[in-house]
Amino acid sequence: MSSEDPVIDAQLAVALDALLTEQSVSRAAARLHTSPAAMSRTLARLRRTLQDPLLVRAGQAMVPTPRAQALREEAAAVVQRLGALLSPGSRVDPATLRSTFTLQTADLVGAALAPGLLRLARQEAPGVSLRFRAEELEAGPGLRDGRIDLEVGAIDHVDPETLVEELLTLRMAAAVRPGHPLTEGAVTPERLAAAEHVAVSRRGRFTGPLDTALAERGLRRHVTVVLPSHLAAMALAARSDAVCLVPATPDGAASPPLTDAATDLGLRLLGIPLPLPPVVIGMAFHPRHAADGGHHWLRGAVRRTLVGAPDRSRPAAPAPSATAARSRSE
């Protein structure tokens, strides 16, 4: 910038708007919480910058010049745009949103989340569209480069800067069809190990935390099939004697939408008499979205759908350690 170029000063625009609106140095000063002397100096600066008197004395009052009258609406518009530019991003009317949000979830989480989230979008943010993606991307890079707006599920592989909010802590239960042999009598580790099992793993693994807990008792379960989808595994369990592990609430707690699929299939959820690690369901997002108004609405809508909590943010934490996060599937 050369020495002859004008210096852009947002405060001058604000002062110009106040002066042209009030047509009084003292009233403009009161409006901007400054002194009349300081406002007089600002008016002198504006006169030099614009090379126009702007306000001239007419008896006991001041009246605008033709140039000032021509600038009045434009000055007001500039100040309004500055206010919108510098206002906190979380202040947004959901009804004005025109956005497509991309969420990455496991199939069970997506099935539980989509109906309630769509209902809230229709009610509060009809201009919002939702795109659900399977767990096909590494969440850290996907969140960082904007391909994913929000990951919801068991968060265990994000970058250190990623923010994570925990939503639910669940336990694993054994889902079986009505009339399954395990529904008769107490479920023991021995009976559970002897049953036929369907495992859920995106990587095709036959073993998981249940196998570790059984091995400590000298037991080994019989996994006859591995599927990459919880919904497919639950459908198989509903039509066979296979046992499927699904996340459920601790005894006595209200059931979240994550258990709806099992209920719809008529599955019975049986407690597992082994100390399995809990399943922590959370949502992960990049820090650049932390104060964004649209993203704030999205996170609140996810929270209300899965937890039923009011739309207020709880402190988000950095990415969890390997011991705090649990694998999303076996």
Side-chain angles (χ1 to χ4, degrees):
M1 177 180 293
S2 70
S3 59
E4 298 180 357
D5 291 332
V7 177
I8 297 174
D9 188 341
Q11 291 300 325
L12 277 182
V14 174
L16 177 63
D17 176 53
L19 285 163
L20 298 185
T21 300
E22 301 295 342
Q23 296 184 19
S24 164
V25 170
S26 59
R27 290 197 299 270
R31 177 173 173 172
L32 298 183
H33 306 288
T34 188
S35 67
M39 185 57 66
S40 291
R41 292 192 294 270
T42 301
L43 176 57
R45 183 180 173 189
L46 283 165
R47 284 168 169 167
R48 291 193 303 270
T49 300
L50 298 174
Q51 299 181 6
D52 188 272
L54 297 176
L55 295 173
V56 296
R57 185 68 63 180
Q60 298 299 313
M62 300 188 78
V63 295
T65 66
R67 178 78 189 282
Q69 289 177 327
L71 289 173
R72 184 171 178 177
E73 289 187 5
E74 186 176 353
V78 167
V79 171
Q80 185 178 15
R81 289 196 296 270
L82 281 171
L85 176 66
L86 299 177
S87 64
S90 59
R91 297 177 183 175
V92 65
D93 181 1
T96 66
L97 289 175
R98 298 295 182 270
S99 301
T100 297
F101 292 116
T102 300
L103 298 89
Q104 178 161 294
T105 69
D107 65 329
L108 182 60
V109 177
L113 184 57
L117 197 57
L118 179 60
R119 182 169 57 252
L120 286 176
R122 285 174 173 169
Q123 294 171 352
E124 302 172 9
V128 164
S129 299
L130 303 169
R131 177 192 295 120
F132 282 81
R133 298 188 65 157
E135 297 173 301
E136 56 194 21
L137 300 173
E138 284 298 323
L143 292 168
R144 187 170 57 245
D145 62 24
R147 288 176 292 167
I148 304 170
D149 292 300
L150 194 66
E151 184 183 19
V152 185
I155 311 298
D156 62 351
H157 61 294
V158 292
D159 291 340
E161 75 269 18
T162 301
L163 299 177
V164 178
E165 178 182 337
E166 294 185 0
L167 299 172
L168 293 167
T169 298
L170 305 174
R171 62 178 176 84
M172 296 305 291
V176 298
R177 63 168 178 80
H180 190 282
L182 284 179
T183 62
E184 301 295 332
V187 178
T188 64
E190 291 76 14
R191 294 186 68 205
L192 186 62
E196 177 185 354
H197 287 259
V198 51
V200 179
S201 173
R202 292 184 297 119
R203 300 176 179 88
R205 295 173 178 169
F206 278 78
T207 60
L210 176 58
D211 300 279
T212 302
L214 288 171
E216 292 176 353
R217 289 164 173 75
L219 300 171
R220 182 177 180 181
R221 66 172 175 161
H222 180 45
V223 177
T224 56
V225 62
V226 179
L227 292 173
S229 160
H230 272 99
L231 295 179
M234 292 164 63
L236 177 62
R239 295 169 173 82
S240 70
D241 281 340
V243 177
C244 174
L245 300 188
V246 298
T249 52
D251 293 336
S255 296
L258 281 166
T259 61
D260 288 351
T263 301
D264 292 344
L265 288 168
L267 292 170
R268 294 276 306 277
L269 300 184
L270 308 177
I272 297 176
L274 293 166
L276 298 182
V279 178
V280 179
I281 303 297
M283 54 183 172
F285 53 98
H286 196 271
R288 72 172 179 275
H289 289 137
D292 177 75
H295 206 279
H296 186 272
W297 175 85
L298 174 66
R299 298 196 304 271
V302 169
R303 189 182 307 113
R304 285 181 286 158
T305 299
L306 290 183
V307 188
D311 188 4
R312 62 175 182 269
S313 293
R314 287 176 278 177
S321 64
T323 56
R326 302 299 178 188
S327 173
R328 57 173 50 81
S329 59
E330 294 180 347

